Amino acid sequence: MSCIFCQIAQHEVSANIVHEDDHVIVFNDLFPQAPVHMLIIPKTHYSTLNDIPPEDTTVFSLMHRVAAKLAHDRGFADKGYRLTLNCNRDGGQSVYHVHMHLLAGRPLLWPPG
Ligand code: AMP
């Protein structure tokens, strides 16, 4: 098993986990880029966004539902937040297990670098 995020999802590698259910696990990013920086990952391993099969029609709605609930529960839903998914080299992906960044707690610039 060489995927670090699969190892976190299987509790083989420690992480600061903030949510877990049957399909999704959320933990704090090791190198936060904002006061709130969580990673929302599916427990199913997909290396990149390109590898999600068309049959899996629920993965993003499950991730989004958790993100929206965290934003609500932690009180930054109204102020705002950003969900980001990076794909492959030009998209800035460094860990090859699909993940959604949940960023909040400061004004976020646009366009991104
Ligand atoms: P990306 O560049 O979109 O692939 O994002 C990968 C993110 O994973 C980066 O923000 C890293 O800081 C974060 N990261 C890498 N390894 C770990 C880890 N073991 N625990 C938590 N976050 C990690």
Side-chain angles (χ1 to χ4, degrees):
M1 176 64 71
S2 60
C3 171
I4 185 75
F5 285 1
C6 282
Q7 291 175 308
I8 289 172
Q10 289 164 18
H11 300 274
E12 293 168 0
V13 166
S14 67
N16 191 338
I17 294 169
V18 298
H19 169 89
E20 180 169 11
D21 60 41
D22 287 347
H23 305 287
V24 169
I25 190 163
V26 185
F27 48 93
N28 287 324
D29 197 291
L30 209 50
F31 304 103
Q33 302 300 313
V36 176
H37 187 174
M38 303 176 201
L39 298 172
I40 301 166
I41 73 165
K43 287 189 170 176
T44 302
H45 179 88
Y46 300 122
S47 293
T48 78
L49 295 176
N50 298 331
D51 301 307
I52 298 173
E55 309 86 72
D56 189 343
T57 56
T58 59
V59 62
F60 286 123
S61 59
L62 292 167
M63 292 164 79
H64 169 255
R65 190 187 305 167
V66 170
K69 182 165 172 24
L70 284 165
H72 175 266
D73 291 351
R74 292 179 178 230
F76 56 82
D78 289 342
K79 213 165 182 191
Y81 57 95
R82 182 173 294 167
L83 300 176
T84 303
L85 295 130
N86 298 327
C87 182
N88 277 334
R89 185 193 57 204
D90 281 4
Q93 184 173 6
S94 61
V95 177
Y96 282 77
H97 180 123
V98 163
H99 52 279
M100 183 182 271
H101 296 257
L102 171 54
L103 296 148
R106 66 169 173 83
L108 298 161
L109 302 178
W110 193 263

